[in-house]
Amino acid sequence: MGIYEDIGVRPVINAIGTPTRYGGALLDPDIMETMRVASREFCLLDELHEKAGEKVAGMLGVEAAYVTASAACGLVITTAACMTGTDPKRIRQLPDTAGMRDEVVVQKTHRIAYD
């Protein structure tokens, strides 16, 4: 048996790509090694997020980027940013959303399980 069958989870044949609902992506051995090395030390996560975003933005040739754990996380952070803007008071106020914009409009054809 495999690791998933051992805990009662059915493995699937993924013929769609790298969506989060199927576990994201299979990791390259170089990435696994980098993660292993990084797991041996601590760092300030805010600084790691900032530097990782800068690195990804540079690789993509875009102004900015932010690395998240999944599509759902990206939607949460994007929605929070739209609600708070750059107002530090509103950012600190979260998860209390009193007085903030609280409606998200999504085209029906763009609806996905995470929204």
Side-chain angles (χ1 to χ4, degrees):
M1 290 185 79
I3 191 165
Y4 291 118
E5 291 98 340
D6 290 348
I7 61 171
V9 174
R10 294 175 299 148
V12 298
I13 296 171
N14 179 358
I16 194 171
T18 59
T20 307
R21 70 183 300 172
Y22 296 125
L26 301 177
L27 298 179
D28 181 272
D30 290 341
I31 294 171
M32 291 297 296
E33 177 61 14
T34 299
M35 291 172 64
R36 187 194 67 75
V37 170
S39 74
R40 306 307 310 154
E41 297 182 52
F42 296 100
C43 70
L44 297 173
L45 287 182
D46 287 342
E47 189 174 309
L48 176 61
H49 284 295
E50 182 178 336
K51 296 299 181 183
E54 288 173 6
K55 179 75 172 176
V56 170
M59 292 166 61
L60 296 174
V62 298
E63 182 179 332
Y66 192 86
V67 178
T68 68
S70 65
C73 292
L75 289 171
V76 168
I77 290 171
T78 301
T79 303
C82 290
M83 293 173 72
T84 64
T86 58
D87 184 341
K89 183 179 177 190
R90 287 189 178 220
I91 293 168
R92 284 190 302 274
Q93 180 182 326
L94 291 175
D96 174 7
T97 61
M100 295 185 202
R101 294 174 289 181
D102 63 357
E103 182 179 19
V104 176
V105 178
V106 179
Q107 290 180 346
K108 186 175 183 177
T109 58
H110 290 191
R111 295 296 309 269
I112 60 173
Y114 301 115
D115 70 1

